[in-house]
Amino acid sequence: MIDRIKKGLNKRKVKLFLVFLLCSSLAWFVSNLGEQYTNNATFDIYYGSTPDSLLLNSVSKRNIKVRLRASGFQFLMFGFKNKTVVVNLSELERRGSKYFVSPSTYRSQIENQLSKFITVVDMDRDTLFFNFQKLYRKKVPVIPIVTIDLDQNYLMDKTYTLLPDSITVIGPKKEIDTLRGISTQALVLPHTTTDVSKRLKLDLPGQLKNTKYSDRSVTISAKIFRFSEKVFPVPVEVVNVPEGVEIRTFPEMASVLCRGRSSAIKELAVTDFVVIADYSSLKDKSENILELKLAKKPDSLNVVQLRENKVEFILKRQ
């Protein structure tokens, strides 16, 4: 029994000793973290804000060595962060054909990205040099690959529209010189009876690696409506008739087929149309057939067409 008690006491002493040892170690560790240290680090550089007119081909440095002073706490936190800094090329300088960023410029940029509790003791003093390629701008049309099949008795108001109908491309001259237009992805709409408004992605050429585009998609819009139809008998007017000659056509009236919105059809009158036959266009005077043309029609209609393209005629000399 006594032996068991002794063993229990010994175990408690060991556990208590270990707890005190752990606490003292933590205290020592925390105390040391509060001290100031100097250490070396290497930052990877990301070059941002490249001028729109230039393409960055190569740089003289991709990383930079720095010597930092900070507390142990700061270094502990800093060790888990991504060691990447940004050098802003909006402060780019040029001398002749060479582009560069001075050490004082990029040092201040890097210092601004660090914690206020971290001091830069020293860093590389090399000037950063850059090799750029000039970029050009070009406006190219958007080529729609669109098929809109209308259901029976439906019409499209004028034609569909694209917004924008052209885009700006920016890239090396050898790349953008090959562009004559940018096609949309294919769109097929069968049996359409309602208005169309769809966003279409552009089929951007993948081989132009260094070219940028002002837009990557366009909007196609179309007004679709159910149409009304009416046929108007319009007198045929013969023009450019020689003096002393009278011409009579057979038939004397031409049929004009109109399709459009019901409201537009209701407002129409025969006087809104003029059908002519030009006698001077007759090449063989032995013929007695004249071609018809629609010389006047309302803008409010979507479809206006002659049902007859030719008329016969007879001459009467006065």
Side-chain angles (χ1 to χ4, degrees), residues 176-233:
I176 67 174
D177 278 354
T178 64
L179 288 176
R180 296 294 177 266
I182 300 291
S183 300
T184 66
Q185 292 185 350
L187 175 67
V188 178
L189 299 175
H191 308 296
T192 306
T193 60
T194 58
D195 291 347
V196 175
S197 181
K198 288 187 176 294
R199 197 73 179 165
L200 278 181
K201 290 184 178 180
L202 296 176
D203 190 11
L204 303 176
Q207 69 273 19
L208 305 185
K209 302 297 184 182
N210 298 310
T211 297
K212 296 181 180 180
Y213 307 89
S214 62
D215 297 88
R216 292 182 170 270
S217 62
V218 297
T219 299
I220 179 172
S221 302
K223 295 291 185 181
I224 310 297
F225 64 93
R226 190 179 183 90
F227 69 81
S228 296
E229 182 177 281
K230 189 173 182 179
V231 176
F232 288 86

Side-chain angles (χ1 to χ4, degrees), residues 16-53:
L16 189 61
F17 171 76
L18 292 175
V19 169
F20 278 114
L21 179 62
L22 178 61
C23 290
S24 61
S25 297
L26 286 174
W28 175 84
F29 181 69
V30 170
S31 175
N32 279 274
L33 285 178
E35 299 294 328
Q36 291 288 311
Y37 296 92
T38 302
N39 205 349
N40 295 326
T42 300
F43 294 154
D44 293 329
I45 304 175
Y46 172 78
Y47 295 100
S49 302
T50 305
D52 290 340
S53 60

